[in-house]
Amino acid sequence: VSQSRYGPGLSEYLKNLNKEEEIIFICRSGARSENATLESLEMGFQNTANMVGGMIRWNQLLYPIVRGT
């Protein structure tokens, strides 16, 4: 889930999700996604994670990127 996509509306978006679903938060560097992960945990989500290092780290590790799916 992109926090920049939802910004201040992230809480409202999360209210509509099943708290049992797995959610992985990703952003450019990992900072915003960490905040989103913490927010989701405070809201009672049990299965959320932050992709530490974000897309910067992903690219450093040369992992593949699939766009448009």
Side-chain angles (χ1 to χ4, degrees):
V1 174
S2 168
Q3 187 175 15
S4 63
R5 179 177 176 191
Y6 295 101
L10 180 63
S11 294
E12 283 301 313
Y13 175 77
L14 291 174
K15 285 180 185 178
N16 296 314
L17 298 181
N18 178 349
K19 291 185 179 182
E20 303 298 321
E21 279 190 65
E22 180 179 69
I23 303 172
I24 301 172
F25 292 96
I26 304 168
C27 71
R28 183 175 174 272
S29 68
R32 285 173 293 149
S33 56
E34 179 179 10
N35 290 334
T37 302
L38 293 173
E39 184 174 340
S40 70
L41 291 170
E42 289 173 1
M43 293 177 69
F45 285 83
Q46 301 291 317
N47 199 12
T48 62
N50 172 35
M51 191 171 88
V52 176
M55 289 306 297
I56 291 174
R57 184 69 178 139
W58 185 273
N59 289 326
Q60 289 171 339
L61 294 170
L62 303 175
Y63 291 156
I65 297 174
V66 177
R67 298 177 195 267
T69 59

